[in-house]
Amino acid sequence: MTNTGFYPGSFDPVTYGHLDIIARAARIVDHLVLGVGIHHGKRSLLDAGARITVLETVCSPISASTGMNITVATFDDLAVDAARRSGAGIVIRGLRDASDFDYEVQMGQMNAAMAPDLETVFLAAGPATRMIASSLVKQIAQMGGDISAFVPTEAKTAIVKALKK
Ligand code: ADP
Protein backbone atom coordinates (compact mmCIF):
# COMPACT_ATOMS: atom_id res chain seq x y z
CA MET A 1 0.00 0.00 0.00
CA THR A 2 1.30 3.45 -0.91
CA ASN A 3 1.99 5.67 2.07
CA THR A 4 0.96 9.17 0.93
CA GLY A 5 1.75 12.49 2.63
CA PHE A 6 0.29 15.93 1.90
CA TYR A 7 2.52 19.00 2.32
CA PRO A 8 0.44 22.18 2.04
CA GLY A 9 1.91 25.66 1.64
CA SER A 10 1.90 28.82 -0.40
CA PHE A 11 5.25 28.02 -2.04
CA ASP A 12 5.35 31.66 -3.21
CA PRO A 13 8.17 30.94 -3.97
CA VAL A 14 9.44 27.48 -3.00
CA THR A 15 12.68 27.92 -1.00
CA TYR A 16 15.60 25.71 -0.01
CA GLY A 17 13.79 25.41 3.34
CA HIS A 18 10.77 23.75 1.70
CA LEU A 19 13.09 21.50 -0.33
CA ASP A 20 14.84 20.43 2.89
CA ILE A 21 11.47 19.42 4.39
CA ILE A 22 10.47 17.62 1.16
CA ALA A 23 13.72 15.61 1.19
CA ARG A 24 13.17 14.71 4.89
CA ALA A 25 9.60 13.61 4.13
CA ALA A 26 11.03 10.94 1.82
CA ARG A 27 12.07 9.02 4.97
CA ILE A 28 8.42 8.84 6.04
CA VAL A 29 6.24 8.56 2.94
CA ASP A 30 6.67 7.07 -0.50
CA HIS A 31 4.33 9.51 -2.24
CA LEU A 32 4.26 13.21 -1.39
CA VAL A 33 1.57 15.54 -2.72
CA LEU A 34 2.61 19.20 -2.61
CA GLY A 35 -0.55 21.24 -2.04
CA VAL A 36 -0.24 24.73 -3.51
CA GLY A 37 -2.73 26.84 -1.57
CA ILE A 38 -4.76 29.30 -3.61
CA HIS A 39 -6.21 31.77 -1.13
CA HIS A 40 -8.90 34.05 -2.46
CA GLY A 41 -8.14 37.51 -1.18
CA LYS A 42 -4.46 36.75 -0.45
CA ARG A 43 -2.38 38.09 -3.32
CA SER A 44 0.55 35.95 -4.38
CA LEU A 45 3.56 37.19 -6.32
CA LEU A 46 3.76 34.03 -8.45
CA ASP A 47 0.55 32.78 -10.02
CA ALA A 48 -0.48 29.16 -9.42
CA GLY A 49 0.86 28.03 -12.80
CA ALA A 50 4.33 29.45 -12.12
CA ARG A 51 4.44 27.94 -8.61
CA ILE A 52 3.47 24.51 -9.97
CA THR A 53 6.03 24.62 -12.83
CA VAL A 54 8.85 25.64 -10.48
CA LEU A 55 7.90 22.99 -7.89
CA GLU A 56 7.74 20.22 -10.50
CA THR A 57 11.13 21.18 -11.92
CA VAL A 58 13.01 21.53 -8.62
CA CYS A 59 11.44 18.44 -7.04
CA SER A 60 12.31 16.11 -9.89
CA PRO A 61 15.95 15.58 -8.68
CA ILE A 62 14.68 14.92 -5.11
CA SER A 63 12.31 12.33 -6.49
CA ALA A 64 15.12 10.72 -8.50
CA SER A 65 17.56 10.61 -5.57
CA THR A 66 15.12 9.46 -2.88
CA GLY A 67 12.72 7.27 -4.89
CA MET A 68 9.76 9.20 -3.43
CA ASN A 69 7.03 9.99 -5.96
CA ILE A 70 6.21 13.72 -5.83
CA THR A 71 3.11 15.28 -7.36
CA VAL A 72 1.77 18.84 -7.19
CA ALA A 73 -1.87 19.87 -6.78
CA THR A 74 -3.60 23.17 -6.09
CA PHE A 75 -6.30 23.57 -3.46
CA ASP A 76 -8.55 26.42 -2.36
CA ASP A 77 -10.39 24.73 0.47
CA LEU A 78 -9.43 23.23 3.84
CA ALA A 79 -6.01 21.54 3.87
CA VAL A 80 -7.58 18.48 5.54
CA ASP A 81 -10.11 18.14 2.71
CA ALA A 82 -7.35 18.54 0.12
CA ALA A 83 -5.22 15.97 1.99
CA ARG A 84 -8.08 13.44 2.00
CA ARG A 85 -8.71 14.05 -1.72
CA SER A 86 -5.07 13.27 -2.44
CA GLY A 87 -5.37 9.99 -0.53
CA ALA A 88 -2.95 11.11 2.20
CA GLY A 89 -3.01 9.82 5.77
CA ILE A 90 -0.26 12.19 6.88
CA VAL A 91 0.04 15.99 6.70
CA ILE A 92 3.63 17.25 6.64
CA ARG A 93 4.58 20.63 8.12
CA GLY A 94 7.95 22.24 8.78
CA LEU A 95 9.05 23.84 12.06
CA ARG A 96 11.63 26.61 12.02
CA ASP A 97 11.34 28.21 15.45
CA ALA A 98 9.12 28.71 18.47
CA SER A 99 6.61 30.88 16.62
CA ASP A 100 6.21 28.18 13.94
CA PHE A 101 5.79 25.65 16.77
CA ASP A 102 2.97 27.59 18.46
CA TYR A 103 1.11 28.26 15.22
CA GLU A 104 1.68 24.87 13.63
CA VAL A 105 0.72 22.84 16.71
CA GLN A 106 -2.47 24.89 17.15
CA MET A 107 -3.37 24.40 13.49
CA GLY A 108 -2.45 20.69 13.67
CA GLN A 109 -4.74 20.23 16.66
CA MET A 110 -7.64 22.02 14.99
CA ASN A 111 -7.09 19.93 11.87
CA ALA A 112 -7.05 16.80 14.06
CA ALA A 113 -10.40 17.81 15.56
CA MET A 114 -11.88 18.16 12.06
CA ALA A 115 -10.11 15.13 10.60
CA PRO A 116 -9.12 12.52 13.23
CA ASP A 117 -8.15 10.15 10.40
CA LEU A 118 -5.18 12.39 9.48
CA GLU A 119 -1.95 12.72 11.45
CA THR A 120 0.18 15.87 11.18
CA VAL A 121 3.90 15.13 11.26
CA PHE A 122 6.14 18.09 12.11
CA LEU A 123 9.63 18.01 10.69
CA ALA A 124 12.34 20.22 12.20
CA ALA A 125 14.00 22.56 9.71
CA GLY A 126 17.60 21.86 8.77
CA PRO A 127 20.13 24.20 10.46
CA ALA A 128 21.34 25.58 7.12
CA THR A 129 17.87 26.58 5.88
CA ARG A 130 15.78 27.27 8.99
CA MET A 131 16.10 31.06 8.64
CA ILE A 132 14.56 31.14 5.17
CA ALA A 133 11.02 32.51 4.75
CA SER A 134 9.26 33.06 1.41
CA SER A 135 7.92 36.42 2.62
CA LEU A 136 11.45 37.73 3.32
CA VAL A 137 12.74 36.32 0.03
CA LYS A 138 10.06 38.37 -1.77
CA GLN A 139 10.94 41.52 0.18
CA ILE A 140 14.65 41.11 -0.60
CA ALA A 141 13.91 40.54 -4.31
CA GLN A 142 11.57 43.54 -4.44
CA MET A 143 14.40 45.72 -3.12
CA GLY A 144 16.85 44.41 -5.70
CA GLY A 145 18.72 41.99 -3.40
CA ASP A 146 20.23 38.68 -4.48
CA ILE A 147 18.05 35.72 -3.39
CA SER A 148 20.30 32.99 -4.84
CA ALA A 149 21.25 31.67 -1.38
CA PHE A 150 17.62 31.08 -0.45
CA VAL A 151 15.81 29.71 -3.50
CA PRO A 152 16.67 27.45 -6.44
CA THR A 153 17.53 29.14 -9.77
CA GLU A 154 14.12 28.29 -11.30
CA ALA A 155 12.32 30.08 -8.43
CA LYS A 156 14.65 33.10 -8.71
CA THR A 157 13.98 33.34 -12.46
CA ALA A 158 10.20 33.17 -11.88
CA ILE A 159 10.38 35.87 -9.17
CA VAL A 160 12.48 38.21 -11.33
CA LYS A 161 10.00 37.72 -14.20
CA ALA A 162 6.97 38.35 -11.95
CA LEU A 163 8.53 41.54 -10.57
CA LYS A 164 9.00 42.92 -14.09
CA LYS A 165 5.25 42.61 -14.84
P1 ADP B 1 2.21 29.18 4.58
O1 ADP B 1 1.73 30.32 3.77
O2 ADP B 1 1.19 28.13 4.91
O3 ADP B 1 3.06 29.58 5.76
P2 ADP B 1 4.68 28.35 3.41
O4 ADP B 1 4.90 27.91 2.03
O5 ADP B 1 5.41 29.57 3.83
O6 ADP B 1 3.13 28.43 3.57
O7 ADP B 1 5.07 27.21 4.44
C1 ADP B 1 4.54 25.91 4.32
C2 ADP B 1 5.19 25.05 5.38
O8 ADP B 1 6.60 25.02 5.17
C3 ADP B 1 4.98 25.49 6.82
O9 ADP B 1 4.84 24.34 7.63
C4 ADP B 1 6.28 26.20 7.16
O10 ADP B 1 6.57 26.16 8.54
C5 ADP B 1 7.26 25.37 6.37
N1 ADP B 1 8.47 26.12 6.05
C6 ADP B 1 8.56 27.32 5.42
N2 ADP B 1 9.85 27.70 5.33
C7 ADP B 1 10.61 26.73 5.92
C8 ADP B 1 12.00 26.55 6.18
N3 ADP B 1 12.90 27.47 5.84
N4 ADP B 1 12.40 25.42 6.81
C9 ADP B 1 11.47 24.49 7.19
N5 ADP B 1 10.14 24.60 7.01
C10 ADP B 1 9.71 25.70 6.38
Side-chain angles (χ1 to χ4, degrees), residues 79-137:
V80 289
D81 289 338
R84 281 174 172 152
R85 258 199 319 277
S86 69
I90 289 172
V91 175
I92 300 282
R93 295 292 285 178
L95 293 181
R96 285 165 288 192
D97 53 22
S99 62
D100 265 1
F101 178 87
D102 288 344
Y103 173 72
E104 295 287 347
V105 170
Q106 181 184 20
M107 193 167 64
Q109 288 171 344
M110 292 187 77
N111 282 341
M114 291 186 286
D117 49 313
L118 295 173
E119 188 65 33
T120 301
V121 174
F122 304 101
L123 297 175
T129 52
R130 62 168 282 192
M131 76 298 192
I132 304 173
S134 297
S135 54
L136 294 177
V137 166

Side-chain angles (χ1 to χ4, degrees), residues 16-39:
Y16 285 132
H18 297 126
L19 295 184
D20 174 67
I21 295 296
I22 291 167
R24 289 172 194 280
R27 297 182 179 152
I28 298 168
V29 297
D30 37 40
H31 176 208
L32 187 66
V33 178
L34 302 175
V36 176
I38 313 291
H39 301 288

